[in-house]
């Protein structure tokens, strides 16, 4: 079978890369082994325009946020589903210092933060003594329905193989890659941290970051906002169901759900909520984060038949559409990739 591209992985990166290639009428095969707990499947799907304790704008906010919004709406209408919803974040101040930072940022004219006029609106639902603010222009990407619907679309078009990709079976020739019966111009790795297991990208400075989440049923909580007080409570597509998380661990004894997180999150829910809840699930995954907190996008500097779209860290929902499109435009039209995301910045350590 001959195609233009072979894509390994159908998390956020593989989904968006195949979407933009499909829009360009390019042929491709996506291989994914459908692991049950990947970061893309554990993610809340939150697109938050501000980040960190200082609540600064996310990296490249002007370019990536509106691009993401447009892209999720477009793929959603193509697939006949709601892929993204605006859900502003109600930020309940956990302490006086966080309140001060929030109010200072409003005084500085931050376009995303505003004081919430109805301070008592949530009194029957939550305990919050220090008031709340609102983070506007926040969104939820409904990955739990989007990824499976796109996979079904690929399967219907014979563009999807559910199997374990074995890198030892890959042969690279001049201007051609061969994998079992598939011949393609290029292979592009969108396989998250598994890229570290390939000879091409084993030296990239990934910094795996563990995150855990609970899936919680809260029948009395309105689903029109995301709620935050240390942890985030984000409404999922299914009625009454919320995602709660997360933690960010750079060192961890194992990648699985931990009792420590469960106990801490359950305690937090009891202290925060005034209404009944029921914990349904507990999940964990390793984020493909990077030492410099910038993605890895582009063609291998010493092997032009091999590419990568990876390293989205904590911001996959926001960054993946924009950089998938940059990579497609780069391959097809030789346009530039954002230098701080271009994998060619590692050309010295990527010598084969
Ligand atoms: C708890 C948690 C919460 C998060 N919340 C958010 C959030 O709210 N907002 C946000 O923007 N980001 C969030 N993230 C980060 C986000 O999930 C990641 O940035 C993103 O999912 C990474 O996507 P990816 O496609 O690069 O990798 P992955 O999701 O890891 O996808 C890789 C795919 O490759 C496949 N694969 C790997 N190896 C093979 C192989 N050998 N053969 C076949 N298939 C293979 C896997 O099955 C998988 O489907 C969160 C992450 C975690 C862990």
């Amino acid at each position: 079978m001959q195609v233009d591209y072979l894509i390994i992985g159908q998390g956020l990166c593989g989904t968006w890369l195949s979407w933009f290639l499909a829009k360009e009428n390019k042929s491709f095969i996506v291989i994914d082994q459908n692991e049950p707990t990947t970061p893309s499947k554990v993610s809340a799907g939150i697109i938050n325009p501000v980040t960190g304790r200082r609540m600064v704008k996310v990296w490249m906010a002007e370019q990536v946020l509106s691009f993401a919004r447009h892209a999720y709406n477009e793929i959603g209408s193509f697939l006949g589903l709601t892929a993204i919803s605006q859900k502003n974040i109600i930020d309940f101040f956990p302490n006086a210092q966080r309140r001060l930072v929030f109010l200072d940022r409003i005084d500085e004219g931050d376009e995303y933060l505003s004081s919430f006029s109805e301070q008592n609106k949530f009194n029957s639902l939550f305990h919050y003594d220090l008031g709340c603010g609102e983070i506007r222009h926040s969104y939820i990407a409904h990955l739990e329905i989007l990824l499976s619907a796109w996979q079904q679309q690929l399967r219907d078009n014979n563009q999807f193989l559910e199997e374990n990709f074995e890198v030892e079976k890959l042969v690279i020739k001049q201007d051609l890659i061969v994998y079992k019966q598939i011949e393609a111009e290029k292979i592009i790795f969108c396989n998250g941290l598994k890229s570290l297991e390939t000879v091409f990208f084993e030296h990239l400075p990934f910094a795996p970051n563990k995150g855990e989440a609970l899936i919680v049923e809260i029948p009395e909580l309105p689903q029109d906002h995301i709620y935050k007080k240390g942890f985030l409570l984000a409404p999922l597509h299914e009625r009454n169901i919320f995602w709660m998380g997360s933690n960010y661990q750079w060192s961890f004894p194992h990648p699985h759900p931990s009792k420590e997180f469960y106990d801490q999150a359950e305690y937090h829910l009891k202290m925060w909520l005034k209404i009944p809840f029921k914990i349904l699930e507990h999940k964990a995954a390793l984020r493909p984060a990077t030492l410099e907190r910038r993605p890895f996008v582009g063609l291998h500097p010493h092997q032009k038949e091999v590419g990568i779209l990876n390293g989205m860290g904590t911001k996959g929902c926001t960054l993946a559409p924009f950089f998938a499109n940059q990579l497609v435009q780069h391959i097809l039209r030789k346009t530039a990739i954002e230098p701080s995301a271009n994998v060619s910045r590692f050309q010295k350590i990527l010598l084969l």
Side-chain angles (χ1 to χ4, degrees):
M1 185 192 323
Q2 204 146 14
V3 286
D4 296 324
Y5 303 99
L6 176 61
I7 299 173
I8 310 304
Q10 194 240 327
L12 271 164
C13 286
T15 294
W16 283 112
L17 188 70
S18 51
W19 165 254
F20 286 110
L21 285 172
K23 279 184 65 170
E24 297 281 356
N25 292 318
K26 295 291 162 191
S27 60
F28 55 82
I29 296 285
V30 179
I31 295 181
D32 194 296
Q33 62 194 352
N34 268 337
E35 285 173 48
T37 48
T38 62
S40 299
K41 287 177 185 160
V42 172
S43 164
I46 296 170
I47 297 179
N48 183 348
V50 298
T51 186
R53 286 183 185 278
R54 284 283 309 138
M55 310 206 75
V56 293
K57 260 195 257 184
V58 293
W59 178 58
M60 294 183 66
E62 279 72 20
Q63 293 104 304
V64 298
L65 290 171
S66 58
F67 191 92
R69 210 167 51 239
H70 178 75
Y72 283 100
N73 276 321
E74 199 179 22
I75 196 172
S77 39
F78 176 81
L79 293 169
L81 52 83
T82 304
I84 189 167
S85 315
Q86 183 170 2
K87 305 269 176 187
N88 288 355
I89 300 174
I90 302 299
D91 194 346
F92 298 109
F93 307 126
N95 54 49
Q97 197 200 355
R98 294 300 291 266
R99 180 171 193 273
L100 205 62
V101 170
F102 199 102
L103 299 179
D104 280 352
R105 299 287 294 126
I106 294 177
D107 286 347
E108 287 160 25
D110 189 294
E111 65 198 282
Y112 299 113
L113 303 185
S114 71
S115 49
F116 193 68
S117 52
E118 301 165 80
Q119 286 290 314
N120 294 324
K121 180 171 177 177
F122 304 103
N123 268 339
S124 61
L125 304 171
F126 292 102
H127 293 282
Y128 59 108
D129 302 332
L130 298 170
C132 59
E134 184 176 26
I135 305 174
R136 295 179 302 168
H137 307 293
S138 310
Y139 291 82
I140 290 202
H142 300 294
L143 304 184
E144 71 273 29
I145 53 171
L146 172 61
L147 297 183
S148 52
W150 181 243
Q151 186 173 115
Q152 191 55 52
Q153 172 73 20
L154 297 178
R155 284 179 191 270
D156 292 347
N157 292 339
N158 296 319
Q159 291 170 307
F160 187 83
L161 290 179
E162 181 169 339
E163 64 178 51
N164 175 31
F165 170 77
E166 297 163 278
V167 75
E168 325 70 76
K169 300 203 170 139
L170 176 68
V171 179
I172 307 219
K173 302 183 176 172
Q174 183 77 34
D175 298 326
L176 179 78
I177 68 102
V178 182
Y179 180 71
K180 298 182 182 174
Q181 279 83 36
I182 303 170
E183 288 187 358
E185 277 174 35
K186 294 190 196 304
I187 180 167
I188 304 181
F189 287 94
C190 299
N191 52 345
L193 289 169
K194 293 281 169 61
S195 282
L196 279 168
E197 293 170 19
T198 67
V199 66
F200 312 106
F201 299 115
E202 63 187 343
H203 297 304
L204 280 180
F206 277 101
N209 182 283
K210 182 177 174 183
E212 299 185 51
L214 299 181
I215 305 300
V216 191
E217 187 178 16
I218 317 176
E220 292 172 39
L221 191 58
Q223 288 186 275
D224 50 357
H225 285 101
I226 300 166
Y227 308 95
K228 181 177 173 216
K229 191 180 180 191
F231 284 92
L232 281 151
L233 263 178
L236 293 177
H237 199 68
E238 200 180 332
R239 224 167 142 246
N240 299 335
I241 306 297
F242 289 78
W243 177 101
M244 188 209 190
S246 183
N247 55 350
Y248 301 86
Q249 289 191 306
W250 298 106
S251 68
F252 38 85
H254 59 77
H256 312 296
S258 71
K259 182 171 181 324
E260 291 75 19
F261 177 84
Y262 186 98
D263 290 347
Q264 189 194 4
E266 184 186 38
Y267 179 76
H268 192 88
L269 277 173
K270 283 181 184 158
M271 293 291 115
W272 186 19
L273 284 178
K274 290 181 176 174
I275 48 181
F277 68 88
K278 185 175 163 198
I279 298 174
L280 304 177
E281 266 185 272
H282 178 194
K283 303 178 180 185
L286 302 186
R287 302 175 180 93
T290 70
L291 276 185
E292 305 167 305
R293 295 171 192 240
R294 295 290 174 262
F296 303 141
V297 184
L299 299 179
H300 193 288
H302 310 292
Q303 189 82 69
K304 64 181 181 358
E305 296 81 6
V306 176
I308 188 165
L309 180 66
N310 211 321
M312 301 292 155
T314 58
K315 303 273 185 299
C317 300
T318 312
L319 299 177
F322 182 84
F323 284 106
N325 183 51
Q326 270 210 349
L327 180 54
V328 168
Q329 297 312 318
H330 175 72
I331 292 172
L332 301 184
R333 305 194 170 85
K334 300 203 170 7
T335 52
I337 292 172
E338 159 63 32
S340 52
N342 196 329
V343 73
S344 68
R345 68 195 189 275
F346 298 109
Q347 65 167 313
K348 284 196 185 136
I349 61 169
L350 289 179
L351 275 173
L352 291 169

